[in-house]
């Protein structure tokens, strides 16, 4: 089979498309002929070999990234019901190796792909969608909220904008560049702004009017943009961390939080503390997409161009979930 392999830590160009041994399904596993594999911004950090405290552990080399795969079961391991053969499945818990034409995964983590849902949609929802469902549960949005979503054109951000709009909340979507802003507006955002433009906070205030303050910030960026979004938050509001695409931390000062009566919640950490809820969130996300209650957005790259996909993610030039297609 072909796979994308990392032999040496470093830039995206170190990801090489090459012939690699076919994996074999072990006990309790299936082998999947991959039709779509999810790629993550965190994998770009792992690729560099960064060993700082806030970085995820780098993999052992040589490495094939990717735990999210959708495709067709073409082999089953010992102890696995043979009825899985030929079924379209998706998993967020594949053994590392999803950047490939074949991948193995534990049968306990499989979900059948719902009828009418494409492989790209399924691999988007099984992790990004499931994470979004969990984050929204922590954020507890209501129709009375004025919600500011940063990174609103990203995989999670687009789903949050859709959800909040359907809920009846007033939605402010902030993204980088005219194309992304237009996409956020099309999703139903009441206000869509380019946070790469100076003074975007004043634009938000003007468009909301003086009597409609932001009551909840769902921040997927971190860094300076998160600080600017936090400044728009009204007293008594909620600042909810749902990502950190800038890879720069933003921590509101405890004194400022207390003075303004703002609740600060790191929703990502709360989800990590409840891994037992993961399968239910995954199933709910797939069902929501199958019913078109949430529409997943993804940007596809050929598997052979995984290095380009990493470069585009690092430069924040992708829109929606990044998916690799063998």
């Amino acid at each position: 089979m072909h796979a994308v392999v990392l032999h040496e830590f470093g830039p995206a160009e170190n990801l090489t498309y090459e012939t690699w041994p076919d994996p074999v399904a072990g006990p309790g596993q299936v082998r999947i002929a991959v039709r779509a594999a999810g790629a993550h911004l965190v994998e770009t950090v792992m690729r560099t070999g960064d060993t700082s405290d806030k970085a995820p552990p780098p993999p052992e080399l040589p490495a094939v990234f990717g735990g999210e795969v959708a495709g067709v079961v073409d082999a089953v391991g010992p102890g696995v019901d043979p009825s899985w053969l030929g079924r379209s499945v998706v998993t967020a818990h594949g053994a590392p190796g999803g950047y490939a034409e074949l991948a193995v995964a534990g049968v306990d983590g499989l979900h059948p792909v719902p009828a009418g849902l494409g492989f790209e949609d399924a691999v988007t929802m099984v992790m990004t969608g499931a994470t979004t469902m969990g984050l929204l549960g922590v954020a507890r949005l209501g129709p009375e909220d004025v919600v500011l979503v940063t990174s609103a054109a990203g995989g999670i951000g687009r789903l949050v904008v859709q959800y909040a709009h359907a809920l009846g909340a007033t939605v402010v979507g902030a993204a980088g560049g005219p194309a992304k802003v237009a996409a956020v507006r099309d999703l139903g955002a009441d206000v869509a702004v380019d946070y790469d433009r100076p003074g975007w906070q004043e634009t938000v205030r003007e468009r909301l009017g003086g009597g409609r303050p932001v009551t909840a910030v769902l921040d997927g960026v971190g860094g300076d943009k998160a600080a600017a979004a936090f400044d728009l938050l009204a007293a008594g509001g909620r600042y909810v961390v749902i990502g950190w695409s800038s890879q720069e931390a933003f921590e509101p000062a405890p004194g400022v939080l207390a003075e303004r009566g703002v609740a600060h919640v790191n929703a990502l950490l709360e989800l990590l503390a409840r891994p037992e809820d993961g399968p239910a969130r995954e199933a709910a996300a797939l069902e929501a997409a199958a019913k078109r209650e949430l529409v997943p957005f993804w940007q596809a790259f050929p598997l052979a161009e995984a290095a380009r996909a990493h470069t585009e993610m690092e430069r924040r030039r992708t829109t929606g979930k990044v998916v690799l297609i063998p």
Side-chain angles (χ1 to χ4, degrees), residues 92-109:
H93 310 287
Y99 287 21
E101 293 174 329
L102 296 169
V104 297
V107 69
D108 291 344

Side-chain angles (χ1 to χ4, degrees), residues 190-205:
D190 300 279
V191 178
V193 295
D194 184 346
Y195 57 16
D196 287 338
R197 294 176 65 89
W200 67 270
Q201 306 98 308
E202 288 306 315
T203 301
V204 171
R205 291 188 180 99

Side-chain angles (χ1 to χ4, degrees), residues 142-162:
E144 72 284 355
D145 275 313
V146 177
V147 185
L148 169 57
V149 184
T150 66
S151 193
I156 289 176
R158 284 176 177 249
L159 296 175
V160 170
V161 169
Q162 290 180 61

Side-chain angles (χ1 to χ4, degrees), residues 59-299:
E60 293 186 11
L61 299 180
V64 178
F65 290 118
E68 302 163 28
V69 295
V72 178
V73 175
D74 78 343
V76 298
V80 176
D81 188 337
S83 67
W84 281 104
L85 282 169
R87 296 180 68 180
S88 295
V89 299
V90 62
T91 183
H93 310 287
Y99 287 21
E101 293 174 329
L102 296 169
V104 297
V107 69
D108 291 344
L110 296 182
H111 296 275
V113 175
L117 202 63
F119 290 117
E120 297 91 345
D121 291 334
V123 85
T124 296
M125 293 304 289
V126 76
M127 177 60 82
T128 299
T131 300
T132 304
M133 302 291 276
L135 297 173
L136 289 167
V138 173
R140 295 184 175 88
L141 300 179
E144 72 284 355
D145 275 313
V146 177
V147 185
L148 169 57
V149 184
T150 66
S151 193
I156 289 176
R158 284 176 177 249
L159 296 175
V160 170
V161 169
Q162 290 180 61
Y163 176 90
H165 173 69
L167 195 64
T170 299
V171 184
V172 180
K180 291 185 178 182
V181 170
V184 171
R185 187 178 298 112
D186 289 343
L187 290 170
D190 300 279
V191 178
V193 295
D194 184 346
Y195 57 16
D196 287 338
R197 294 176 65 89
W200 67 270
Q201 306 98 308
E202 288 306 315
T203 301
V204 171
R205 291 188 180 99
E206 290 171 5
R207 294 185 185 175
L208 287 176
R212 302 169 68 200
V214 173
T215 61
V217 169
L218 273 65
D219 174 48
V221 180
D224 292 342
K225 290 181 173 63
F230 180 79
D231 285 344
L232 287 167
L233 189 58
R238 309 186 306 285
Y239 176 75
V240 184
V241 178
I242 63 171
W244 58 293
S245 62
S246 71
Q247 300 181 47
E248 298 174 2
F250 169 69
E251 289 286 340
V256 174
L257 291 171
E259 180 182 348
R260 293 170 54 184
V262 170
H264 176 208
V265 181
N266 190 320
L268 289 174
L269 291 181
E270 290 206 13
L271 293 193
L272 290 173
R274 303 199 310 269
E276 66 278 4
D277 296 339
R281 290 196 297 264
E282 293 163 11
L286 291 167
E287 182 179 0
K291 292 180 176 179
R292 308 308 286 176
E293 295 171 351
L294 292 175
V295 179
F297 287 85
W298 42 267
Q299 182 174 351

